[in-house]
Amino acid sequence: MRSSRKIYLGAGMAVVLVVAALAMKGGGTPVETVQVRRGDIARTVVETGYVQPSASHELYAGQTARVIEAPVETGQMVVRGQTLVVMESPDLAAQIISTRGQLSQAEAAAGASRAAVQRTGLELSSAEENYSRTEELYRLGAVSRVEYEKALLQVETLRQGLEEQNALLKSSLARVDSLEQTLRQLYAREKELLVTSPAGGLVMSLPVKSGQVLNPGSLLATVADLESMEVKADMLSDDLAGVREGQKVIITAPVLGGRIIAGRVKQIYPRAEEKVSALGVVQRRVPVIVGLDETANLKPGFEVKVSVETSARHNVLQIPLESVVTRADGRREVMVVVNNIVARRPVDTGISNRSDIEITGGLEVGDIIVRDGSLGLPEKTRVKPQNK
């Protein structure tokens, strides 16, 4: 039994020696290598976002009314002042008719009071002139005291009557003013029954139909202003460390073809919200609003890719991200190839993106390294570099 194990062990060692000899003969283990180079590198946060209007107008019913017609449809382009919904209110129409009747009566009453005031005023002027003559004649002894007091009483009576009629006129005019104000308010409410678009744009929603009775506060229509658009993206809270308002954003989408649209971070919401991913994972995400420099052919609801540049380095050493491995002690290292021999070398790193990483120490321009750091080749392994 022991002799069999010795035979197998000897055979295994022989195979290793043969493979090693073949590797030496063929120039070493084939590996893909790259050169350390200089260039620009930027760290970005990439997320999916959706186009939405920067400004939208939501129109609500201000009173109980019935829909007569909605001459537009959801998704239709409209201009400022275009009719969206036509409604009617029988109760309002009855109030307008009643108020008009009351106003006519009040105006007639005010007219009568004004005429009475004018008439009494003329009578008072005549009585005052008669009293002046009677008073003079009374001093001369030409008329009796009874006639004098009668002339005085007539003046006082007319003055009191004029005061009462002026008060009645004032009350009538106040009644007219009150009814006119009420009628203006009713006309304003009647005007609300014809709902028009406050701006040119796209009808995003129109949740009403002919014959429907609406309560105050019911949504009539939503119109989006397409002259100003933005993108809303829900970003992972962990990715927001470097995101700031005003940072440059690159927008891409299949609908844009190869065109790239620039924008800026416009707003970062103050709190995160729980969202469930497509895989059913609960994540903490923060809504971020991106303002667009141009809209191209984007429409509300379109899906786009948002890339926020959080930091950038220019003319720095960089290598593929896959070339760097992290050791158990936390240090990072790469496999440098010198004279076709591997040397594992610690490096200092800076920022990284999805493909490259900045090297701040440990390498120089032109150094050759193994592209795939996960190969884990032992120190002094002979390799056969293969550049792609």
Side-chain angles (χ1 to χ4, degrees):
M1 191 70 172
R2 291 181 180 176
S3 60
S4 297
R5 289 180 179 176
K6 289 182 180 180
I7 292 173
Y8 291 142
L9 180 59
M13 292 180 63
V15 170
V16 172
L17 291 175
V18 169
V19 171
L22 291 175
M24 290 291 290
K25 182 178 180 180
T29 303
V31 292
E32 182 182 352
T33 58
V34 294
Q35 280 191 341
V36 179
R37 68 186 188 283
R38 282 192 177 276
D40 300 333
I41 186 171
R43 175 184 290 170
T44 58
V45 175
V46 180
E47 192 56 72
T48 298
Y50 297 90
V51 179
Q52 65 182 23
S54 299
S56 61
H57 307 273
E58 294 184 339
L59 307 175
Y60 295 90
Q63 58 191 298
T64 301
R66 186 176 71 87
V67 177
I68 298 177
E69 65 171 332
V72 296
E73 298 178 351
T74 301
Q76 179 178 332
M77 294 295 298
V78 294
V79 298
R80 180 183 178 88
Q82 184 171 344
T83 300
L84 303 178
V85 181
V86 181
M87 300 179 291
E88 67 175 0
S89 173
D91 290 342
L92 178 61
Q95 290 180 50
I96 291 176
I97 293 174
S98 175
T99 304
R100 282 175 177 169
Q102 295 176 51
L103 178 59
S104 296
Q105 294 175 2
E107 288 174 337
S113 295
R114 187 178 292 107
V117 167
Q118 292 174 349
R119 183 172 58 253
T120 302
L122 292 174
E123 292 175 355
L124 177 59
S125 296
S126 177
E128 288 174 339
E129 291 177 359
N130 179 60
Y131 170 73
S132 295
R133 289 192 301 269
T134 303
E135 184 181 29
E136 181 65 24
L137 292 173
Y138 176 68
R139 283 200 302 267
L140 296 175
V143 296
S144 66
R145 183 173 182 84
V146 173
E147 290 177 314
Y148 167 76
E149 291 178 348
K150 181 179 179 182
L152 177 60
L153 179 61
Q154 185 179 16
V155 169
E156 290 177 347
T157 300
L158 288 172
R159 284 177 178 172
Q160 183 178 357
L162 183 60
E163 289 179 0
E164 292 174 353
Q165 289 171 354
N166 275 322
L168 183 59
L169 175 60
K170 184 178 180 180
S171 176
S172 296
L173 292 175
R175 172 69 171 164
V176 170
D177 288 341
S178 176
L179 289 170
E180 286 179 341
Q181 182 178 358
T182 300
L183 194 57
R184 285 194 296 270
Q185 293 173 347
L186 292 174
Y187 282 149
R189 290 178 58 192
E190 185 181 47
K191 188 177 180 181
E192 292 175 354
L193 297 176
L194 181 65
V195 181
T196 60
S197 178
L202 180 70
V203 178
M204 298 292 292
S205 66
L206 192 71
V208 296
K209 58 183 179 180
S210 179
Q212 181 178 358
V213 177
L214 303 173
N215 294 319
S218 299
L219 179 65
L220 300 174
T222 302
V223 179
D225 184 355
L226 300 186
E227 293 184 359
S228 178
M229 304 259 273
E230 62 188 18
V231 173
K232 181 180 180 182
D234 294 327
M235 296 188 175
L236 287 171
S237 55
D238 293 343
D239 291 339
L240 283 178
V243 178
R244 300 286 184 274
E245 291 185 4
Q247 287 176 332
K248 180 180 178 181
V249 181
I250 298 299
I251 308 295
T252 56
V255 71
L256 293 173
R259 187 173 181 180
I260 295 176
I261 292 179
R264 296 281 174 180
V265 176
K266 181 179 177 181
Q267 179 186 4
I268 302 174
Y269 278 40
R271 59 181 299 175
E273 302 173 355
E274 283 193 355
K275 301 281 185 177
V276 179
S277 71
L279 300 178
V281 179
V282 177
Q283 300 171 326
R284 301 290 295 179
R285 289 184 174 269
V286 178
V288 175
I289 303 299
V290 176
L292 302 177
D293 294 347
E294 57 179 319
T295 58
N297 60 336
L298 295 177
K299 301 295 182 185
F302 280 18
E303 181 178 297
V304 296
K305 189 70 70 176
V306 175
S307 300
V308 183
E309 186 177 293
T310 59
S311 59
R313 300 285 189 273
H314 303 287
N315 194 31
V316 297
L317 298 181
Q318 57 183 288
I319 60 175
L321 184 62
E322 62 187 292
S323 302
V324 180
V325 294
T326 302
R327 303 189 309 193
D329 60 4
R331 291 294 305 276
R332 292 184 165 185
E333 68 178 16
V334 298
M335 292 181 287
V336 180
V337 178
V338 180
N339 297 326
N340 295 343
I341 301 296
V342 168
R344 304 181 74 88
R345 184 181 301 176
V347 293
D348 297 320
T349 58
I351 69 171
S352 62
N353 55 29
R354 293 178 178 271
S355 59
D356 298 315
I357 187 169
E358 176 190 8
I359 299 298
T360 59
L363 295 175
E364 296 181 357
V365 174
D367 283 348
I368 306 298
I369 62 172
V370 177
R371 173 181 284 275
D372 186 359
S374 65
L375 293 175
L377 299 176
E379 188 81 7
K380 297 183 180 181
T381 299
R382 178 174 290 277
V383 295
K384 184 177 182 181
Q386 296 180 343
N387 298 323
K388 290 187 179 181

